[in-house]
Amino acid sequence: MLLRNEIGDVAVDSLVAAESNIQSQEMLNGCVCCVLVGQLDNALLEIVEKYSPDRIIVETSGSALPAPIAWAIRRRDDMLKLDGIINVVDCLNFEGYKDTSYTAKMQAQYTDLILLNKHQLVSEDKMDRVMDDVVELNPDTPKVKTLDKGRVAAQLIFGLDSRLFLLANQSRDEAKLEKVTEKHQCLEVDLIEVMPPADWAGPTLTKAQLESFLDQLPKDCFIRVKGVVVLSDCEPPAQVVNYVRGRYDLVPLQTYSGPALQLVFMGTSEIHLHRKRIQTFCSIPDQHLLTSEPCGETHHHEHHHHDHQHH
């Protein structure tokens, strides 16, 4: 059973999982380690009562800190046992995250297993630099390269019996993590969401038009784009968009009944300089183009620019 935490209101990964007959449940529009941590207990309890699964995989947003989630699970030792904390390192982009994201550093430091993903896409020299950075952050935790498309053997990630973030050590660990503010995620990620109503017809777009739009997004400020776009020249027409710092792929959705286009753009505060470009491409009325902070504030406006300070 998968419990997914996604930033924004578009449950993209859950749509894909449903097509593979994978049971999943989502917690949207906030970070599970701070904004939604109070809802985590209820979500886990509901899963146990409804599905009685052997294992629950909690897939957090990329901005989540592991400690509050681990403590929430450990507090339910009457029905749950924390097996392990796994960190996935994007070898293609880790150097950028390492320099700007305090959360990325914390994730690499506090984990039972580090999976090195997208290592096939980098040069030997860059891979050496990534390994040096990861080892500097966490010299002792095992590091394993993933197979094609991030695959790993199940026996590798289950049965880790984590000793991280024990409740007995919570006070000590909280002192170590005191630099982390409740709004840590707002300091790292800004959002622009295209969220039209379900019956919105939207523009008629082709695959080439979508690819041209994505290719022109500056990858230094657009960290991630995800969503669903209906394309006139694809079969099936509905395509899941998954963009990470200039690289993207499209995954067909066989069953989809939502609006013709719904997208979430994540990045630095500079993404707001491109708001008009996004609105023009999507042909979306202004009231359906939202600027939101993952910590719970959502608002409509013509232009908004944050000067965010990074840890």
Side-chain angles (χ1 to χ4, degrees), residues 297-311:
E297 299 173 10
T298 301
H299 41 273
H300 310 257
H301 53 190
E302 286 303 319
H303 181 75
H304 190 75
H305 187 88
H306 298 287
D307 291 317
H308 280 217
Q309 177 182 353
H310 295 286
H311 289 287

Side-chain angles (χ1 to χ4, degrees), residues 90 92-93 97 118 121 126 210-226 241-250 265-267 271 277:
D90 178 350
L92 191 62
N93 297 300
Y97 296 140
K118 300 183 186 175
L121 304 177
K126 181 166 184 174
L210 174 62
E211 290 178 339
S212 175
F213 170 73
L214 294 174
D215 287 337
Q216 292 177 48
L217 295 179
K219 61 183 180 181
D220 56 335
C221 63
F222 282 88
I223 297 172
R224 181 95 195 275
V225 181
K226 65 176 184 179
V241 178
N242 189 15
Y243 168 107
V244 181
R245 287 193 181 269
R247 291 181 57 85
Y248 58 86
D249 55 21
L250 303 177
F265 298 83
M266 292 169 262
I271 66 172
R277 178 194 294 189

Side-chain angles (χ1 to χ4, degrees), residues 16-273:
V16 176
E19 301 235 323
S20 304
N21 295 317
I22 297 173
Q23 292 281 4
S24 67
Q25 187 166 319
E26 55 277 327
M27 299 175 66
L28 300 177
N29 203 23
C31 177
V32 72
C33 82
C34 52
V35 180
L36 303 180
V37 68
Q39 300 176 25
L40 178 60
D41 187 69
N42 292 335
L44 292 169
L45 181 61
E46 181 181 340
I47 288 172
V48 170
E49 292 179 345
K50 188 173 181 180
Y51 300 102
S52 298
D54 295 323
R55 298 185 183 275
I56 301 173
I57 299 173
V58 181
E59 182 181 338
T60 70
S61 73
S63 296
L65 296 165
I69 303 166
W71 290 324
I73 293 170
R74 290 202 187 279
R75 280 193 288 270
R76 294 312 306 254
D77 60 359
D78 57 322
M79 64 176 184
L80 298 169
K81 178 185 179 224
L82 179 63
D83 184 12
I85 300 171
I86 299 170
N87 178 236
V88 181
V89 169
D90 178 350
C91 295
L92 191 62
N93 297 300
F94 185 70
E95 289 178 298
Y97 296 140
K98 171 188 70 71
D99 293 335
T100 61
S101 172
Y102 180 72
T103 305
K105 296 177 184 178
M106 296 296 297
Q107 289 173 341
Q109 285 176 309
Y110 295 95
T111 181
D112 297 296
L113 177 67
I114 296 174
L115 298 179
L116 302 167
N117 197 30
K118 300 183 186 175
H119 58 89
Q120 305 96 329
L121 304 177
V122 302
S123 66
E124 187 174 337
D125 287 345
K126 181 166 184 174
M127 190 64 209
D128 288 341
R129 293 198 302 273
V130 170
M131 282 301 298
D132 287 344
D133 289 337
V134 173
V135 169
E136 182 180 348
L137 289 169
N138 191 330
D140 301 323
T141 296
K143 301 157 189 71
V144 178
K145 291 181 178 179
T146 63
L147 302 175
D148 185 44
K149 298 200 175 201
R151 291 182 299 116
V152 291
Q155 59 265 35
L156 181 68
I157 61 174
F158 294 136
L160 297 175
D161 194 23
S162 178
R163 307 302 294 167
L164 290 170
F165 304 116
L166 295 172
L167 291 179
N169 301 329
Q170 183 171 345
S171 296
R172 182 200 69 189
D173 290 337
E174 283 179 332
K176 285 184 184 177
L177 304 176
E178 63 183 355
K179 288 184 182 178
V180 183
T181 68
E182 183 176 312
K183 295 202 171 193
H184 71 93
Q185 184 175 287
C186 296
L187 301 176
E188 297 183 8
V189 180
D190 274 35
L191 303 183
I192 296 177
E193 298 185 81
V194 180
M195 297 297 296
D199 59 353
W200 182 68
T204 301
L205 295 172
T206 65
K207 183 178 180 183
Q209 286 174 314
L210 174 62
E211 290 178 339
S212 175
F213 170 73
L214 294 174
D215 287 337
Q216 292 177 48
L217 295 179
K219 61 183 180 181
D220 56 335
C221 63
F222 282 88
I223 297 172
R224 181 95 195 275
V225 181
K226 65 176 184 179
V228 181
V229 179
V230 174
L231 301 175
S232 61
D233 57 346
C234 287
E235 186 56 44
Q239 302 283 316
V240 170
V241 178
N242 189 15
Y243 168 107
V244 181
R245 287 193 181 269
R247 291 181 57 85
Y248 58 86
D249 55 21
L250 303 177
V251 179
L253 270 183
Q254 299 296 331
T255 305
Y256 178 70
S257 57
L261 183 151
Q262 50 179 333
L263 291 168
V264 178
F265 298 83
M266 292 169 262
T268 68
S269 59
E270 292 183 2
I271 66 172
H272 301 293
L273 300 175

